[in-house]
Amino acid sequence: MFPHCWGKGYASETVQEVLMYAFFTLKEQKVVAETQVANKRSCQLLEKFGFTIDCYIDRFGARQVIYKLEKSLNCKVFARNTSPLKEGNNR
């Protein structure tokens, strides 16, 4: 994402829509995400949605963190009123 787009909620909107699609359209039970450990903002975003760390790997010349989010009734994507988008990250 271009730096001038950072902090405007685009990534939050994208994660929300991907999760809705994965859980409700594709009927997946788990979603996995990968980002660099050094990318603190991406890690914070995933954690805000309820992702938890599954493991760490070294690839692409950097330390990566693998996150997972399992479908459950307390999953933040189901509680739209408490999702990160509803907490003021909207544009």
Side-chain angles (χ1 to χ4, degrees):
M1 187 180 293
F2 295 110
H4 70 274
C5 296
W6 295 352
K8 297 190 180 193
Y10 299 133
S12 292
E13 288 180 22
T14 301
V15 170
Q16 177 80 26
E17 293 303 316
V18 166
L19 292 175
M20 296 292 286
Y21 184 76
F23 289 141
F24 296 111
T25 303
L26 299 178
K27 309 282 191 236
E28 295 294 338
Q29 296 301 305
K30 179 170 72 170
V31 173
V32 176
E34 177 180 341
T35 190
Q36 289 187 1
V37 170
N39 190 341
K40 300 297 182 198
R41 290 183 74 161
S42 289
C43 294
Q44 289 170 345
L45 175 67
L46 293 170
E47 290 168 9
K48 204 184 276 192
F49 274 93
F51 280 83
T52 58
I53 295 172
D54 188 47
C55 65
Y56 296 90
I57 59 172
D58 292 308
R59 93 172 152 177
F60 308 122
R63 189 80 168 150
Q64 308 289 323
V65 57
I66 307 297
Y67 284 93
K68 68 178 178 181
L69 178 65
E70 298 194 28
K71 185 176 180 179
S72 69
L73 292 178
N74 60 358
C75 175
K76 290 189 178 186
V77 76
F78 293 109
R80 286 181 163 252
N81 292 335
T82 61
S83 75
L85 286 179
K86 302 293 183 185
E87 293 174 358
N89 283 345
N90 293 353
R91 284 173 283 174

